[in-house]
Amino acid sequence: MTVQQNDIGATWLAKAGLRPTRQRVTLAGLLIGDGQHRHVTAESLFDAAKAQGEAVSLATVYNTLRAFCDVGLMQEVTVDGSKSYFDTNTHDHPHFYWEDEARLTDAPSDQLVISRVPDAPEGAEIASVDVVIRLRRNK
């Protein structure tokens, strides 16, 4: 990983008030160091870190991703109730889930129209609406 990617990662952490530990800076650099948004699983980020020769455990990757979500740097998108993806784009937007590839991508926000959602039950409020459109390739 380049010094520039590390600097970008450290700045990203500082803006959120997170302490820039070596592992956090490394993972942040992998996530946003090139300026592109990412959809990652903990496992895919762990593999990317290992491929760069970084010494980080899978548990540390999970904990770091949770910390990033807790301070609003990322959002978690759950697919199938058991598979979580972590998205560096924190603006509200829909996703495509490519079933054949187990891959998550952004869907065009400007094409999504939600005209009404059900009222929240008494004593509750709607925190967010997540839209995941499941796709599979034509056979």
Coordinates of all heavy atoms in Angstrom, one line a residue, residues 35-97:
G35 N -10.0 6.5 -3.7 CA -11.1 7.4 -3.9 C -12.3 6.7 -4.5 O -13.3 7.4 -4.7
Q36 N -12.3 5.4 -4.6 CA -13.5 4.7 -5.1 C -14.3 4.1 -4.0 O -13.7 3.7 -3.0 CB -13.0 3.5 -6.1 CG -12.2 4.0 -7.2 CD -13.0 4.9 -8.2 OE1 -14.1 4.6 -8.5 NE2 -12.4 6.0 -8.5
H37 N -15.6 4.0 -4.1 CA -16.4 3.4 -3.1 C -16.3 1.8 -3.2 O -16.0 1.3 -4.3 CB -17.9 3.8 -3.3 CG -18.1 5.1 -2.8 ND1 -18.0 5.5 -1.4 CD2 -18.5 6.3 -3.4 CE1 -18.3 6.8 -1.3 NE2 -18.6 7.3 -2.5
R38 N -16.4 1.2 -2.1 CA -16.3 -0.3 -2.1 C -17.5 -0.9 -1.4 O -18.0 -0.4 -0.4 CB -15.0 -0.7 -1.3 CG -13.7 -0.2 -1.8 CD -13.1 -1.3 -2.7 NE -11.8 -1.0 -3.2 CZ -11.4 0.1 -3.9 NH1 -12.3 0.9 -4.3 NH2 -10.2 0.3 -4.4
H39 N -17.8 -2.1 -1.8 CA -18.7 -3.0 -1.1 C -17.8 -4.2 -0.8 O -17.4 -5.0 -1.7 CB -19.8 -3.5 -2.0 CG -20.7 -2.4 -2.5 ND1 -20.5 -1.7 -3.7 CD2 -21.8 -1.8 -1.9 CE1 -21.4 -0.8 -3.8 NE2 -22.2 -0.8 -2.8
V40 N -17.6 -4.4 0.5 CA -16.7 -5.5 0.9 C -17.4 -6.4 2.0 O -18.3 -5.9 2.7 CB -15.4 -5.0 1.5 CG1 -14.6 -4.2 0.5 CG2 -15.6 -4.2 2.8
T41 N -17.0 -7.6 2.1 CA -17.3 -8.4 3.2 C -16.0 -8.4 4.1 O -15.0 -8.0 3.7 CB -17.6 -9.9 2.8 OG1 -16.4 -10.5 2.2 CG2 -18.8 -10.0 1.9
A42 N -16.2 -8.8 5.4 CA -15.0 -8.9 6.2 C -14.0 -9.8 5.7 O -12.8 -9.5 5.7 CB -15.5 -9.3 7.6
E43 N -14.5 -10.9 5.1 CA -13.5 -11.9 4.5 C -12.8 -11.3 3.3 O -11.6 -11.5 3.2 CB -14.3 -13.2 4.1 CG -14.8 -13.9 5.3 CD -16.2 -13.4 5.9 OE1 -16.7 -12.4 5.2 OE2 -16.6 -13.9 6.9
S44 N -13.5 -10.6 2.4 CA -12.8 -10.0 1.3 C -11.8 -9.0 1.6 O -10.7 -8.9 1.1 CB -13.8 -9.5 0.2 OG -14.4 -8.3 0.7
L45 N -12.1 -8.2 2.7 CA -11.2 -7.1 3.1 C -10.0 -7.8 3.8 O -8.8 -7.4 3.6 CB -11.8 -6.2 4.1 CG -11.0 -5.0 4.5 CD1 -10.5 -4.2 3.4 CD2 -11.8 -4.1 5.5
F46 N -10.2 -8.8 4.6 CA -9.1 -9.6 5.2 C -8.2 -10.2 4.1 O -7.0 -10.1 4.3 CB -9.7 -10.7 6.0 CG -8.7 -11.7 6.6 CD1 -7.9 -11.4 7.7 CD2 -8.7 -13.0 6.1 CE1 -7.0 -12.3 8.2 CE2 -7.8 -13.9 6.6 CZ -6.9 -13.5 7.7
D47 N -8.8 -10.8 3.1 CA -7.9 -11.3 2.0 C -7.1 -10.2 1.3 O -6.0 -10.4 0.9 CB -8.8 -12.0 1.0 CG -9.4 -13.3 1.5 OD1 -8.9 -13.9 2.5 OD2 -10.4 -13.8 0.9
A48 N -7.7 -9.0 1.1 CA -7.0 -7.9 0.5 C -5.8 -7.5 1.3 O -4.8 -7.2 0.8 CB -8.0 -6.8 0.2
A49 N -6.1 -7.4 2.6 CA -5.0 -7.0 3.6 C -3.9 -8.0 3.5 O -2.7 -7.7 3.5 CB -5.5 -6.9 5.0
K50 N -4.2 -9.3 3.6 CA -3.2 -10.4 3.5 C -2.4 -10.3 2.2 O -1.2 -10.5 2.2 CB -3.9 -11.8 3.6 CG -4.1 -12.2 5.1 CD -4.7 -13.5 5.2 CE -4.1 -14.6 4.3 NZ -4.8 -15.9 4.5
A51 N -3.1 -10.0 1.1 CA -2.4 -9.9 -0.2 C -1.4 -8.8 -0.3 O -0.5 -8.8 -1.0 CB -3.5 -9.8 -1.3
Q52 N -1.7 -7.8 0.6 CA -0.7 -6.6 0.7 C 0.4 -6.9 1.7 O 1.2 -6.0 1.9 CB -1.5 -5.4 1.1 CG -2.5 -4.9 0.1 CD -1.9 -4.1 -1.0 OE1 -0.9 -3.4 -0.8 NE2 -2.4 -4.1 -2.2
G53 N 0.3 -8.1 2.3 CA 1.4 -8.4 3.3 C 1.1 -7.8 4.6 O 2.0 -7.8 5.5
E54 N -0.1 -7.4 4.9 CA -0.5 -6.8 6.2 C -0.8 -7.9 7.2 O -1.5 -8.9 6.9 CB -1.6 -5.9 6.1 CG -1.4 -4.7 5.1 CD -0.3 -3.8 5.6 OE1 0.0 -3.7 6.8 OE2 0.3 -3.0 4.8
A55 N -0.3 -7.8 8.4 CA -0.6 -8.7 9.5 C -1.9 -8.2 10.3 O -1.8 -7.3 11.1 CB 0.6 -8.9 10.4
V56 N -3.0 -8.8 10.0 CA -4.2 -8.4 10.6 C -5.1 -9.7 10.7 O -5.1 -10.5 9.8 CB -5.0 -7.2 9.9 CG1 -5.4 -7.6 8.5 CG2 -6.1 -6.7 10.6
S57 N -5.8 -9.8 11.8 CA -6.6 -11.0 12.0 C -8.0 -10.7 11.5 O -8.5 -9.6 11.4 CB -6.7 -11.4 13.5 OG -7.5 -10.4 14.2
L58 N -8.8 -11.8 11.2 CA -10.1 -11.6 10.7 C -11.0 -11.0 11.8 O -11.9 -10.2 11.5 CB -10.7 -13.0 10.3 CG -12.1 -13.0 9.7 CD1 -12.2 -12.1 8.5 CD2 -12.5 -14.4 9.3
A59 N -10.8 -11.3 13.0 CA -11.5 -10.7 14.1 C -11.3 -9.2 14.2 O -12.2 -8.4 14.4 CB -11.1 -11.3 15.5
T60 N -10.1 -8.8 13.9 CA -9.7 -7.3 13.9 C -10.5 -6.7 12.7 O -11.0 -5.6 12.9 CB -8.2 -7.1 13.8 OG1 -7.6 -7.6 15.0 CG2 -7.9 -5.6 13.6
V61 N -10.5 -7.3 11.6 CA -11.3 -6.8 10.4 C -12.7 -6.6 10.8 O -13.3 -5.5 10.6 CB -11.1 -7.7 9.2 CG1 -12.0 -7.2 8.1 CG2 -9.6 -7.7 8.7
Y62 N -13.4 -7.6 11.4 CA -14.8 -7.5 11.8 C -14.9 -6.3 12.8 O -15.8 -5.5 12.6 CB -15.3 -8.8 12.5 CG -15.8 -9.8 11.5 CD1 -15.1 -10.9 11.2 CD2 -17.1 -9.6 10.9 CE1 -15.6 -11.9 10.3 CE2 -17.6 -10.5 10.1 CZ -16.9 -11.7 9.8 OH -17.4 -12.6 8.9
N63 N -14.1 -6.3 13.8 CA -14.2 -5.2 14.8 C -14.0 -3.8 14.2 O -14.7 -2.9 14.6 CB -13.2 -5.4 15.9 CG -13.6 -6.6 16.8 OD1 -14.7 -7.1 16.8 ND2 -12.6 -7.2 17.4
T64 N -13.1 -3.7 13.3 CA -12.8 -2.4 12.6 C -14.0 -2.0 11.7 O -14.4 -0.8 11.8 CB -11.5 -2.5 11.8 OG1 -10.4 -2.9 12.7 CG2 -11.2 -1.2 11.1
L65 N -14.5 -2.9 11.0 CA -15.7 -2.6 10.1 C -16.8 -2.1 11.0 O -17.5 -1.2 10.7 CB -16.1 -3.8 9.3 CG -15.1 -4.1 8.1 CD1 -15.5 -5.4 7.4 CD2 -15.1 -2.9 7.1
R66 N -17.1 -2.8 12.1 CA -18.1 -2.4 13.0 C -17.9 -1.0 13.6 O -18.8 -0.1 13.7 CB -18.3 -3.4 14.2 CG -18.7 -4.7 13.8 CD -20.2 -4.9 13.8 NE -20.5 -6.2 13.3 CZ -21.2 -6.5 12.3 NH1 -21.8 -5.5 11.6 NH2 -21.5 -7.7 11.9
A67 N -16.6 -0.7 13.9 CA -16.3 0.6 14.4 C -16.5 1.7 13.4 O -17.0 2.8 13.6 CB -14.8 0.6 14.9
F68 N -16.1 1.4 12.1 CA -16.3 2.3 11.0 C -17.8 2.6 10.8 O -18.2 3.7 10.6 CB -15.7 1.8 9.7 CG -14.2 1.7 9.7 CD1 -13.6 1.2 8.6 CD2 -13.4 2.2 10.7 CE1 -12.2 1.2 8.5 CE2 -12.0 2.2 10.6 CZ -11.4 1.7 9.5
C69 N -18.7 1.5 11.0 CA -20.1 1.7 10.8 C -20.6 2.6 12.0 O -21.5 3.4 11.8 CB -20.8 0.4 10.8 SG -20.6 -0.5 9.2
D70 N -20.2 2.3 13.2 CA -20.7 3.0 14.4 C -20.5 4.5 14.3 O -21.3 5.3 14.8 CB -20.0 2.5 15.7 CG -20.4 1.1 16.0 OD1 -21.5 0.6 15.5 OD2 -19.8 0.4 16.9
V71 N -19.4 4.9 13.6 CA -19.1 6.4 13.5 C -19.6 7.0 12.2 O -19.3 8.1 11.9 CB -17.6 6.7 13.8 CG1 -17.2 6.3 15.2 CG2 -16.7 6.1 12.7
G72 N -20.3 6.1 11.4 CA -20.8 6.7 10.1 C -19.9 6.7 8.9 O -20.3 7.3 7.9
L73 N -18.8 6.0 9.0 CA -17.9 6.0 7.9 C -18.4 5.0 6.8 O -18.0 5.1 5.6 CB -16.4 5.6 8.3 CG -15.7 6.6 9.1 CD1 -14.4 6.1 9.6 CD2 -15.5 7.9 8.3
M74 N -19.1 4.0 7.2 CA -19.6 3.0 6.3 C -21.0 2.6 6.8 O -21.4 3.0 7.8 CB -18.7 1.7 6.4 CG -17.3 1.9 6.1 SD -16.3 0.4 6.1 CE -16.8 -0.3 4.5
Q75 N -21.7 1.9 5.9 CA -23.0 1.3 6.2 C -22.9 -0.2 6.0 O -22.3 -0.6 5.1 CB -24.1 2.0 5.5 CG -24.1 1.8 4.0 CD -25.3 2.4 3.3 OE1 -26.4 2.5 4.0 NE2 -25.2 2.8 2.1
E76 N -23.7 -0.9 6.8 CA -23.8 -2.3 6.7 C -25.0 -2.7 5.9 O -26.1 -2.1 6.1 CB -23.8 -3.0 8.0 CG -23.9 -4.5 7.9 CD -23.8 -5.2 9.3 OE1 -23.8 -4.5 10.3 OE2 -23.7 -6.4 9.3
V77 N -24.9 -3.5 4.9 CA -26.0 -4.0 4.1 C -26.1 -5.5 4.3 O -25.1 -6.2 3.9 CB -25.8 -3.7 2.6 CG1 -27.0 -4.1 1.7 CG2 -25.6 -2.2 2.4
T78 N -27.2 -6.0 4.8 CA -27.3 -7.4 5.1 C -28.1 -8.0 3.9 O -29.2 -7.5 3.5 CB -28.1 -7.6 6.4 OG1 -27.3 -6.9 7.4 CG2 -28.2 -9.1 6.7
V79 N -27.6 -9.2 3.5 CA -28.2 -9.9 2.4 C -28.4 -11.3 3.0 O -27.5 -11.9 3.6 CB -27.3 -10.0 1.1 CG1 -27.9 -10.8 0.1 CG2 -27.0 -8.6 0.6
D80 N -29.6 -11.9 2.8 CA -29.9 -13.2 3.2 C -29.9 -13.4 4.7 O -29.9 -14.5 5.2 CB -29.0 -14.3 2.6 CG -29.2 -14.5 1.2 OD1 -30.3 -14.3 0.7 OD2 -28.2 -14.9 0.5
G81 N -29.9 -12.3 5.5 CA -30.0 -12.4 6.9 C -28.7 -12.8 7.6 O -28.5 -12.7 8.8
S82 N -27.8 -13.4 6.8 CA -26.5 -13.9 7.4 C -25.3 -13.3 6.7 O -24.2 -13.3 7.3 CB -26.5 -15.4 7.3 OG -26.5 -15.8 5.9
K83 N -25.4 -12.7 5.5 CA -24.2 -12.2 4.8 C -24.3 -10.7 4.9 O -25.2 -10.1 4.4 CB -24.3 -12.7 3.4 CG -23.1 -12.3 2.5 CD -22.0 -13.3 2.8 CE -20.9 -13.1 1.7 NZ -19.8 -13.9 2.0
S84 N -23.2 -10.1 5.4 CA -23.1 -8.6 5.5 C -22.1 -8.1 4.6 O -21.0 -8.7 4.5 CB -22.8 -8.2 6.9 OG -23.9 -8.4 7.8
Y85 N -22.4 -7.0 3.9 CA -21.5 -6.3 3.1 C -21.4 -4.9 3.7 O -22.3 -4.4 4.4 CB -22.1 -6.1 1.7 CG -22.1 -7.4 0.9 CD1 -23.1 -8.3 1.1 CD2 -21.0 -7.7 0.0 CE1 -23.1 -9.5 0.4 CE2 -21.0 -8.9 -0.7 CZ -22.0 -9.8 -0.5 OH -22.0 -11.0 -1.2
F86 N -20.2 -4.3 3.6 CA -20.0 -3.0 4.1 C -19.7 -2.1 3.0 O -18.8 -2.4 2.1 CB -18.8 -3.1 5.1 CG -19.1 -4.0 6.3 CD1 -18.9 -5.4 6.2 CD2 -19.7 -3.5 7.5 CE1 -19.2 -6.2 7.3 CE2 -20.0 -4.3 8.5 CZ -19.7 -5.7 8.4
D87 N -20.4 -1.0 3.0 CA -20.4 0.0 1.9 C -19.8 1.3 2.3 O -20.2 1.9 3.3 CB -21.8 0.2 1.4 CG -21.9 1.0 0.1 OD1 -20.9 1.5 -0.4 OD2 -23.1 1.1 -0.3
T88 N -18.8 1.8 1.6 CA -18.2 3.1 1.9 C -19.0 4.3 1.5 O -18.8 5.4 1.9 CB -16.8 3.2 1.3 OG1 -16.9 3.1 -0.1 CG2 -15.8 2.2 1.9
N89 N -20.0 4.0 0.7 CA -20.9 5.1 0.2 C -22.1 5.1 1.3 O -22.9 4.3 1.3 CB -21.5 4.8 -1.2 CG -22.4 5.9 -1.6 OD1 -22.8 6.8 -0.9 ND2 -22.9 5.7 -2.9
T90 N -22.1 6.1 2.1 CA -23.1 6.2 3.2 C -24.3 7.0 2.8 O -25.2 7.1 3.7 CB -22.4 6.8 4.4 OG1 -21.9 8.1 4.1 CG2 -21.3 6.0 5.0
H91 N -24.4 7.5 1.6 CA -25.6 8.2 1.2 C -26.7 7.1 0.9 O -26.4 6.0 0.5 CB -25.4 9.0 -0.1 CG -24.4 10.1 0.1 ND1 -23.1 10.0 -0.1 CD2 -24.6 11.3 0.6 CE1 -22.5 11.1 0.2 NE2 -23.4 11.9 0.6
D92 N -28.0 7.5 1.1 CA -29.1 6.5 0.9 C -29.1 6.2 -0.6 O -29.1 7.1 -1.5 CB -30.4 7.2 1.3 CG -30.6 7.3 2.8 OD1 -29.9 6.5 3.5 OD2 -31.3 8.1 3.2
H93 N -29.0 4.9 -0.9 CA -29.1 4.4 -2.3 C -29.4 2.9 -2.3 O -29.1 2.2 -1.3 CB -27.7 4.7 -3.0 CG -26.6 3.9 -2.4 ND1 -25.9 4.3 -1.3 CD2 -25.9 2.8 -2.9 CE1 -25.0 3.5 -1.0 NE2 -24.9 2.6 -1.9
P94 N -30.0 2.5 -3.4 CA -30.4 1.0 -3.5 C -29.2 0.2 -4.0 O -28.2 0.8 -4.4 CB -31.5 1.0 -4.5 CG -31.2 2.2 -5.4 CD -30.6 3.3 -4.5
H95 N -29.3 -1.1 -3.8 CA -28.2 -2.0 -4.2 C -28.8 -3.1 -5.1 O -29.9 -3.5 -5.0 CB -27.5 -2.6 -3.0 CG -26.7 -1.7 -2.2 ND1 -27.3 -1.0 -1.1 CD2 -25.5 -1.2 -2.4 CE1 -26.3 -0.2 -0.6 NE2 -25.2 -0.3 -1.4
F96 N -27.9 -3.6 -6.0 CA -28.1 -4.9 -6.7 C -27.3 -5.9 -6.0 O -26.1 -5.7 -5.7 CB -27.6 -4.8 -8.1 CG -28.5 -4.0 -9.1 CD1 -27.9 -3.1 -10.0 CD2 -29.9 -4.1 -9.1 CE1 -28.6 -2.3 -10.8 CE2 -30.6 -3.3 -10.0 CZ -30.0 -2.5 -10.9
Y97 N -27.9 -7.1 -5.7 CA -27.2 -8.2 -5.2 C -27.2 -9.3 -6.3 O -28.2 -9.8 -6.7 CB -27.8 -8.8 -3.9 CG -27.1 -10.0 -3.4 CD1 -25.8 -9.9 -2.9 CD2 -27.7 -11.3 -3.5 CE1 -25.2 -11.0 -2.5 CE2 -27.1 -12.4 -3.1 CZ -25.8 -12.3 -2.5 OH -25.1 -13.4 -2.1

